[in-house]
Amino acid sequence: MNRLIFRDAPLRTALELYFRTVGIKNYVIDNRVLGLVTATGSVTGEAFPTALFPGIVCKIENGVWLIQEATQPDERSRALLLNKLACPIFFGEPRRVAGVALRSQGSPLAIVEHGSPPDSEIRVVARGDHFGEAQVSAITEKGLVLAERAQRLEIPLAGLVPRPGGSPLAIPGVERAVFSDAPLASVLELILKSGGPHFKLDSPLEGYISGETGTSVVSLLMRSANTPLNYTKENGIWHVTKRGNTPPAAPRFVSLEDIQQGRAQLPVIFGAPRRVAAVLLGEKPLALLETGNPPQTKRQTVTEGDTYESFRVEKITREGIVLNDGTRRFLVPLTPLSPKP
């Protein structure tokens, strides 16, 4: 059985992915078919999946599948046409996976979008294909992995986000936020200390997030936290609650059980396990600094000029924190958790 997963996927490309997945080559898509589709389902080549493509009419004439749009674009599609949506930022550029096809026969496929609409580049790729100088090394239901020399770039399956300046949950003075296996609850505290929106957890919130984004906090949390979250604003406070019983997202290279059982570690930097889990870059950079291996890890939010142990926080960058005690200086890197040997 073939399975399709779409997240704000360009409708025409999503239809093309369906036909390619089930092996149908004779089809015509009307030029008036525009918009986005978010859906998940199993498909065959025997019947058109109307549940995946609401508002689309399919006819077969002389062996050719004819695709037409019977309804007006929905609100999300209209926002796209009005140039109000953009791709999230990953590894410094707007990019995302908009859809994946997990095929019963043949390698999986993915819709990759690079840049932001209406000028983005949209391609359907398979394992082994090249995307720029990188090669697609893996495609899963969560996205794809690009390999470029020794670098490994994980591009997640993610929806579009509001264009910069249009998000009601932007962080004032923050131009870039980078998270590397950062505990979700600590991320919300970091955002509050940065002067961003005031979040209140209405239930225990576990899990870890990784990713890079501009000022749109809610888009980062929604696409990275794995646990579906609800956001409601009351008296100036955003209340965050999780929906359903989805397991919390684990770090990239270790499991939640590894962390609980002490089988995860931080790199040893200047004689102690240390790492940076998150940085907010802008007018007043902030960083989430961790010391000690899980589950005894201590976390502290620092900014440039703060004192940490016997060191002064000299600089916060995309790479991590530079500490200085007057005679020595060293970098505590922004890095994920890793398993113990």
Side-chain angles (χ1 to χ4, degrees):
M1 183 68 71
N2 305 295
R3 188 162 178 254
L4 298 180
I5 308 172
F6 299 125
R7 296 292 180 269
D8 283 341
L11 183 53
R12 297 183 67 85
T13 310
L15 287 163
E16 291 169 3
L17 183 65
Y18 160 68
F19 286 124
R20 182 169 170 179
T21 297
V22 298
I24 295 174
K25 298 181 179 180
N26 297 323
Y27 64 89
V28 175
I29 302 175
D30 191 283
N31 290 332
R32 290 169 291 184
V33 174
L34 299 170
L36 300 169
V37 57
T38 296
T40 300
S42 299
V43 296
T44 68
E46 298 174 359
F48 183 76
T50 54
L52 281 182
F53 300 102
I56 295 297
V57 173
C58 176
K59 301 178 181 178
I60 302 177
E61 296 182 3
N62 300 321
V64 178
W65 295 56
L66 305 177
I67 302 298
Q68 297 177 325
E69 191 166 22
T71 61
Q72 294 295 319
D74 60 16
E75 183 176 346
R76 189 113 178 116
S77 298
R78 288 195 294 270
L80 174 70
L81 297 174
L82 292 173
N83 204 27
K84 292 184 177 181
L85 299 176
C87 282
I89 302 294
F90 283 96
F91 302 101
E93 296 182 35
R95 52 181 126 195
R96 69 184 183 116
V97 174
V100 295
L102 306 177
R103 301 192 290 177
S104 57
Q105 295 183 348
S107 64
L109 303 170
I111 300 173
V112 185
E113 185 169 8
H114 183 247
S116 285
D119 303 315
S120 53
E121 175 190 4
I122 301 171
R123 287 181 52 196
V124 175
V125 298
R127 278 199 304 252
D129 287 353
H130 281 81
F131 195 78
E133 296 182 0
Q135 187 176 45
V136 179
S137 63
I139 296 175
T140 72
E141 62 181 13
K142 294 183 178 180
L144 61 77
V145 177
L146 297 177
E148 184 176 351
R149 302 183 182 91
Q151 193 174 19
R152 186 173 182 268
L153 308 180
E154 299 180 19
I155 311 299
L157 180 69
L160 295 168
V161 299
R163 284 193 174 274
S167 172
L169 294 177
I171 314 175
V174 173
E175 299 172 359
R176 180 69 50 211
V178 189
F179 302 92
S180 182
D181 291 347
L184 183 56
S186 298
V187 167
L188 297 180
E189 294 176 9
L190 181 66
I191 291 167
L192 178 60
K193 290 180 179 180
S194 73
H198 188 174
F199 291 97
K200 180 181 178 181
L201 304 182
D202 290 347
S203 56
L205 208 56
E206 299 177 336
Y208 291 75
I209 69 172
S210 297
E212 185 168 348
T213 185
T215 59
S216 180
V217 178
V218 69
S219 64
L220 171 77
L221 298 177
M222 291 180 71
R223 71 172 180 263
S224 303
N226 189 53
T227 302
L229 302 176
N230 276 333
Y231 300 85
T232 56
K233 191 173 184 179
E234 183 177 337
N235 298 324
I237 298 176
W238 287 93
H239 293 259
V240 183
T241 56
K242 63 181 181 180
R243 291 182 282 118
N245 296 315
T246 306
R252 285 165 288 179
F253 306 116
V254 297
S255 68
L256 295 176
E257 184 181 357
D258 288 336
I259 294 174
Q260 295 167 355
Q261 299 298 322
R263 297 194 295 267
Q265 66 179 9
L266 280 62
V268 176
I269 306 294
F270 210 78
R274 321 173 194 259
R275 75 167 186 134
V276 174
V279 296
L280 301 182
L281 304 175
E283 297 175 6
K284 184 182 179 182
L286 290 175
L288 181 62
L289 184 57
E290 293 189 345
T291 306
N293 289 322
Q296 287 82 34
T297 302
K298 295 182 180 179
R299 300 183 178 91
Q300 182 176 342
T301 298
V302 297
T303 188
E304 292 177 352
D306 283 356
T307 299
Y308 175 76
E309 297 177 348
S310 59
F311 302 98
R312 182 176 63 87
V313 178
E314 179 180 296
K315 188 72 174 174
I316 296 175
T317 71
R318 171 67 177 76
E319 285 69 41
I321 296 176
V322 177
L323 297 180
N324 191 332
D325 69 352
T327 59
R328 297 161 297 179
R329 59 197 303 270
F330 59 91
L331 174 72
V332 180
L334 178 73
T335 186
L337 293 168
S338 59
K340 285 186 176 180

